[in-house]
C-alpha cells in the first residue's frame, strides 16, 4: 500500500472535489517527495479542515492536483489550551523546542525576549526568522497528525508580554528553578499560559513581575532543566494533569 503523505496547504477551503495545491506544497510533494500519480495524500489547512485523496494524473511538473475521496473537519487537539511563552535561545535549541511543543499539543507560541536573551534581529531578518519558525511548527504538525497548526507570534520583551497576559487563564505558571513550589493538580483547568526563560533563567525582576501579574512560580524536579528541555517536561505534565495524556 502506498505511503500516506501529509501536507499543509493554508489555501485549502471546503467543500472541494478536485484540489489544486498551491506553490509550496506542490513543490514539496512533486520535487522533494517525488510523489507519483496514485500516491495517497492527506491535505490540511491548519484550522481543522482536511481532504484525503491521491495525486492525480493531470498534475503538471509544478502544480499538484489531488483527486479527493474524502473531506471534512477533524481535530486531535487537547481539551487544554496552552499558550507557551518561551525565551529565544541561540542555535537550534529554540527550533527544537518549537518542534516538540507542537508535538505536545501547545495551542499558541509567543517567542519571548528576556533580559538575558541575546536576540537582536529586526525588520526583514526578523520576518525571515518568523517564517522559518512557522515552517518548523507546520512541519511538526504534519508529522504528528495535528489538523491545527499553532501560530508563532511576533517576539515580545518580557516587560511588554508578561503584563499583557491578563486574567483569561485558569492557570498561569512561570518556571523558576529556585522556587520551592511544585505543580498541584487542580479541579478544572481549561487553559494555561507557561513562561520559560532563557539559559540562566529569568531575572529576579522578571520573576517578581510575573508573580505580580498572577503567575505562580513552580519547580519541576530537583535538577535545573535546559531551555529546550523545560517545555517538554512542563507540557507533558500539564497534558497529564489537565489535557489528553490521562
Amino acid at each position: 500500500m502506498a505511503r500516506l503523505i501529509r501536507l499543509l496547504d493554508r489555501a485549502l477551503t471546503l467543500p472541494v472535489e478536485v484540489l489544486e495545491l498551491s506553490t509550496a506544497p506542490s513543490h514539496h510533494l512533486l520535487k522533494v517527495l517525488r510523489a507519483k500519480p496514485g500516491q495517497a495524500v492527506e491535505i490540511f489547512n491548519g484550522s481543522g479542515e482536511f481532504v484525503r485523496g491521491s495525486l492525480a494524473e493531470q498534475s503538471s511538473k509544478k502544480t499538484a492536483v489531488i483527486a479527493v475521496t474524502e473531506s471534512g473537519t477533524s481535530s486531535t487537539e487537547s481539551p487544554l489550551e496552552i499558550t507557551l511563552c518561551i525565551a529565544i535561545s541561540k542555535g537550534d535549541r529554540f527550533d527544537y523546542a518549537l518542534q516538540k511543543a507542537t508535538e505536545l499539543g501547545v495551542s499558541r507560541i509567543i517567542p519571548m525576549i528576556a533580559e538575558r536573551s541575546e536576540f537582536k534581529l529586526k525588520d526583514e531578518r526578523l520576518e525571515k526568522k518568523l517564517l522559518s519558525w512557522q515552517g518548523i511548527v507546520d512541519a511538526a504538525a504534519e508529522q504528528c497528525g495535528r489538523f491545527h497548526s499553532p501560530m508563532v507570534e511576533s517576539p515580545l520583551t518580557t516587560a511588554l508580554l508578561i503584563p499583557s497576559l491578563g486574567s483569561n487563564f485558569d492557570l498561569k505558571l512561570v518556571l523558576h528553578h529556585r522556587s520551592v513550589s511544585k505543580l498541584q493538580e487542580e479541579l478544572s483547568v481549561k487553559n494555561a499560559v507557561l513562561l520559560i526563560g532563557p539559559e540562566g533563567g529569568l531575572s529576579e525582576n522578571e520573576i517578581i513581575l510575573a508573580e505580580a501579574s498572577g503567575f505562580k512560580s513552580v519547580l519541576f524536579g530537583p535538577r535545573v532543566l535546559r531551555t529546550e528541555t523545560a517545555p517538554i517536561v512542563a507540557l507533558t505534565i500539564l497534558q497529564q494533569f489537565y489535557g489528553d495524556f490521562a
Side-chain angles (χ1 to χ4, degrees):
M1 182 176 180
R3 178 174 62 92
L4 176 65
I5 296 174
R6 299 186 78 247
L7 294 169
L8 182 144
D9 190 341
R10 295 192 184 278
L12 169 64
T13 56
L14 298 181
V16 63
E17 294 182 358
V18 176
L19 175 64
E20 185 176 293
L21 298 185
S22 54
T23 302
S26 285
H27 174 80
H28 188 67
L29 183 63
L30 299 171
K31 302 298 183 182
V32 179
L33 300 177
R34 298 184 181 278
K36 302 299 182 183
Q39 175 73 60
V41 183
E42 181 178 71
I43 315 293
F44 67 105
N45 63 5
S47 300
E49 295 180 312
F50 74 92
V51 300
R52 296 188 179 102
S54 59
L55 183 63
E57 292 283 355
Q58 60 263 43
S59 299
S60 68
K61 292 183 178 180
K62 293 185 177 180
T63 303
V65 178
I66 306 302
V68 177
T69 57
E70 179 185 358
S71 65
T73 59
S74 185
S75 178
T76 55
E77 298 303 290
S78 170
L80 175 67
E81 294 183 7
I82 306 174
T83 295
L84 174 65
C85 305
I86 182 169
I88 302 166
S89 50
K90 283 187 173 182
D92 60 359
R93 295 195 300 270
F94 190 70
D95 296 351
Y96 179 84
L98 293 179
Q99 181 189 67
K100 300 310 172 187
T102 302
E103 293 177 30
L104 289 166
V106 73
S107 307
R108 177 187 178 203
I109 300 171
I110 307 177
M112 191 167 63
I113 304 173
E115 291 181 12
R116 293 170 179 158
S117 296
E118 297 181 12
F119 183 77
K120 300 178 181 180
L121 295 182
K122 294 182 179 180
D123 302 329
E124 289 185 8
R125 293 182 65 198
L126 174 58
E127 187 64 29
K128 289 181 180 178
K129 182 59 72 173
L130 277 170
L131 288 173
S132 174
W133 289 337
Q134 188 64 58
I136 290 166
V137 167
D138 290 346
E142 289 178 359
Q143 182 276 326
C144 72
R146 289 187 69 174
F147 288 97
H148 291 77
S149 183
M151 295 301 293
V152 182
E153 301 186 8
S154 295
L156 288 173
T157 64
T158 50
L160 291 175
L161 175 60
I162 292 174
S164 74
L165 298 165
S167 59
N168 296 325
F169 296 96
D170 296 330
L171 189 64
K172 300 171 72 173
L173 301 176
V174 54
L175 269 62
H176 183 25
H177 66 269
R178 291 179 292 277
S179 174
V180 295
S181 298
K182 296 183 179 180
L183 183 63
Q184 301 295 321
E185 188 168 1
E186 300 179 24
L187 293 177
S188 178
V189 175
K190 294 183 178 179
N191 53 64
V193 58
L194 182 65
L195 290 184
I196 297 179
E199 295 291 343
L202 296 169
S203 70
E204 288 299 325
N205 287 335
E206 289 169 321
I207 295 294
I208 291 170
L209 176 61
E211 291 177 342
S213 300
F215 281 83
K216 177 182 179 181
S217 293
V218 292
L219 176 72
F220 288 108
R223 292 166 293 281
V224 177
L225 303 177
R226 292 174 64 92
T227 188
E228 71 272 24
T229 309
I232 296 174
V233 173
L235 291 169
T236 300
I237 292 174
L238 286 174
Q239 293 287 23
Q240 177 67 29
F241 275 13
Y242 317 116
D244 56 3
F245 282 10

